[in-house]
Amino acid sequence: MSPNYLKFINEAHKIAKKNFGNSFPNPVVGCLIAKKNKLISKAVTNISGRPHAEEIALKKAGKRATGATMYVTLEPCFHNSINGSCVDQILRAGIKEIYISTKDPDKRTNSKSIKKLKLNKVNVIYGLHEEKTLLLNKFFFHSIKNKRPYTKIKMAISKDQKIAWKNYKSKWISNSKSREYAHYLRSKSQAILTTSKTIIKDNPRFTIRIKDKKIKHLPIIIIDNSLNTPINSRVMNERHNKRIIIFTFTKNKLKVNKFVTLGCEVIIFKKNSKGYMSLKKIFKKLYLLKISDLLVEAGGIFFSNLIYERLVDEIHLFQAEFDIGKKGIPMLINKKISDLDLMLIKKKKITNNYYYKYSVLK
């Protein structure tokens, strides 16, 4: 066993963490290759998930990989890619020892790569700082286990847990620093889920902006029962290079074709017994579309429905220090945040706002 294995596996986690948010739908993985305890190469999963970290690190190392040791935060893939599976590339390169943080839960790989490496006389050690990989890529492990996206709620609320005044004329509840942090949350998400009602009321852009500069468009998923999203809304006008998926139950061909012509993906679902589309079925469909991480930006009714359907995993609240009053629009229907089964993960003050991060307990 290498005397510096913890140093190298920690460095692999460190470089993976720095690049989180760029590899969706794949997990972000860090990989180092060393020989005689000297670093030869290092890499992380490439943008959009390919190539994998191991493939990049092996390419950088070249012939120096023969007889070397690899440190990787997730079991190398067993399934095929353009250059073959990562495990086959590792064997071809002549890696003699590999340290792995945790097994890959994907059934295409799960334990298969570890078994193949061992059969080919590669020394395999796994289970090193497993919790770091599980925490960093919780969306990946969660989505595979539950067959739905890992779902985060983001909301700005008043001290009395309202999201707007009754007339919806309020523009901002959170301050500018909180909004900057909200853009950071977007940047660490795969897609944004919203409703046509939110687009009609707020006309958001849903872009990622850092210091008022647009740097990224995320896929936008819209729940729109009757296809009422305005064509002249900001989301639709700024749709270039952006994937827009709309779930609806309308069969009006003129409406459907109008959005399809604009490049949107329109998915028609049947109404359930309550006259709505099944959120659970929508989430299952999103998983099949390789959407494994969602940031929800919508109103209190939609938030409440997600809570009641047990589809929320994480809640991010930006709370102001003022009350809106009884006539305000509540963040939850007939409930307070204290009524939910939550674990507080993080709390900090952002000028005159408080930021709370909760994990939803199952």
Side-chain angles (χ1 to χ4, degrees):
M1 181 177 285
S2 167
N4 291 323
Y5 71 95
L6 286 178
K7 171 188 171 183
F8 285 123
I9 204 72
N10 281 329
E11 177 63 20
H13 280 109
K14 185 177 178 181
I15 62 173
K17 188 175 182 179
K18 285 182 179 179
N19 285 272
F20 180 80
N22 295 318
S23 63
F24 293 121
N26 287 1
V28 63
V29 174
C31 178
L32 273 67
I33 299 175
K35 185 181 285 186
K36 295 180 181 179
N37 291 313
K38 290 186 178 180
L39 182 66
I40 295 174
S41 68
K42 61 181 179 180
V44 294
T45 311
N46 197 34
I47 294 173
S48 299
R50 291 285 183 176
H52 289 175
E54 301 96 318
E55 182 174 344
I56 299 170
L58 287 168
K59 186 176 181 179
K60 287 181 178 179
K63 293 181 179 180
R64 294 176 296 167
T66 302
T69 300
M70 177 178 281
Y71 305 84
V72 64
T73 59
L74 185 68
E75 179 181 5
C77 74
F78 189 84
H79 44 284
N80 287 328
S81 62
I82 294 173
N83 296 315
S85 67
C86 283
V87 69
D88 285 340
Q89 292 182 59
I90 290 166
L91 292 172
R92 288 200 304 267
I95 294 290
K96 292 300 181 184
E97 186 174 50
I98 183 167
Y99 291 80
I100 302 168
S101 285
T102 190
K103 295 178 181 179
D104 188 337
D106 189 326
K107 64 182 180 180
R108 295 173 298 174
T109 290
N110 188 255
S111 298
K112 294 176 183 177
S113 290
I114 290 174
K115 183 178 179 180
K116 187 169 186 176
L117 289 164
K118 288 181 176 180
L119 286 172
N120 283 274
K121 310 302 182 185
V122 177
N123 187 33
V124 180
I125 302 96
Y126 65 90
L128 303 169
H129 288 314
E130 181 180 17
E131 74 285 351
K132 290 186 177 182
T133 300
L134 296 176
L135 182 62
L136 181 62
N137 290 297
K138 55 190 171 184
F139 78 92
F140 174 70
F141 292 91
H142 175 280
S143 62
I144 286 179
K145 179 182 178 181
N146 297 287
K147 301 296 183 288
R148 69 165 178 85
Y150 186 82
T151 305
K152 301 164 288 187
I153 299 287
K154 178 185 77 66
M155 275 191 170
I157 63 172
S158 61
K159 190 176 181 181
D160 55 347
Q161 298 186 20
K162 302 296 193 298
I163 59 172
W165 279 260
K166 187 177 181 180
N167 58 12
Y168 281 98
K169 288 185 179 180
S170 53
K171 178 61 177 174
W172 300 119
I173 291 177
S174 59
N175 60 42
S176 60
K177 293 294 182 182
S178 290
R179 294 194 293 275
E180 285 179 13
Y181 195 77
H183 280 274
Y184 168 78
L185 291 177
R186 284 182 183 173
S187 74
K188 301 301 180 183
S189 302
Q190 184 184 2
I192 293 173
L193 175 65
T194 192
T195 64
S196 56
K197 183 178 179 181
T198 296
I199 294 172
I200 292 167
K201 293 288 185 183
D202 299 337
N203 197 19
R205 285 189 171 90
F206 290 134
T207 51
I208 296 172
R209 299 184 297 278
I210 305 296
K211 295 182 179 178
D212 293 326
K213 183 180 179 181
K214 261 186 286 187
I215 62 168
K216 192 176 182 181
H217 286 288
L218 293 181
I220 306 296
I221 297 133
I222 305 169
I223 308 298
D224 188 349
N225 293 338
S226 303
L227 283 183
N228 291 325
T229 299
I231 293 297
N232 61 351
S233 62
R234 288 170 172 170
V235 165
M236 299 306 300
N237 282 331
E238 297 181 9
R239 66 188 181 278
H240 305 292
N241 301 316
K242 177 171 60 180
R243 186 182 188 186
I244 297 179
I245 304 170
I246 303 175
F247 287 92
T248 186
F249 55 58
T250 186
K251 294 183 180 179
N252 185 312
K253 289 185 178 180
L254 287 176
K255 281 189 172 184
V256 170
N257 289 338
K258 179 172 62 175
F259 286 96
V260 170
T261 300
L262 291 172
C264 302
E265 300 168 49
V266 179
I267 300 173
I268 300 174
F269 265 64
K270 293 181 180 179
K271 297 179 186 179
N272 59 21
S273 58
K274 296 180 180 179
Y276 300 101
M277 293 178 286
S278 166
L279 289 173
K280 288 183 177 179
K281 289 183 178 179
I282 287 174
F283 274 48
K284 184 176 181 179
K285 179 64 175 179
L286 288 172
Y287 174 74
L288 294 175
L289 292 172
K290 299 190 182 301
I291 302 292
S292 53
D293 181 273
L294 284 177
L295 180 65
V296 179
E297 301 195 36
I301 294 175
F302 190 64
F303 178 26
S304 299
N305 289 336
L306 290 175
I307 286 289
Y308 298 144
E309 293 284 348
R310 301 180 69 82
L311 293 171
V312 179
D313 303 293
E314 205 171 274
I315 299 173
H316 298 261
L317 296 180
F318 298 89
Q319 189 167 36
E321 294 183 323
F322 59 82
D323 290 335
I324 286 179
K326 292 183 179 180
K327 292 185 178 181
I329 308 299
M331 67 170 289
L332 274 169
I333 307 302
N334 300 322
K335 283 183 181 290
K336 294 286 186 180
I337 196 71
S338 57
D339 297 326
L340 305 180
D341 193 7
L342 307 175
M343 179 171 65
L344 181 64
I345 302 297
K346 187 176 183 180
K347 175 184 177 181
K348 70 175 182 177
K349 192 167 187 179
I350 306 177
T351 58
N352 61 341
N353 286 175
Y354 280 96
Y355 166 68
Y356 300 91
K357 177 182 177 181
Y358 296 97
S359 176
V360 180
L361 302 175
K362 302 300 182 184

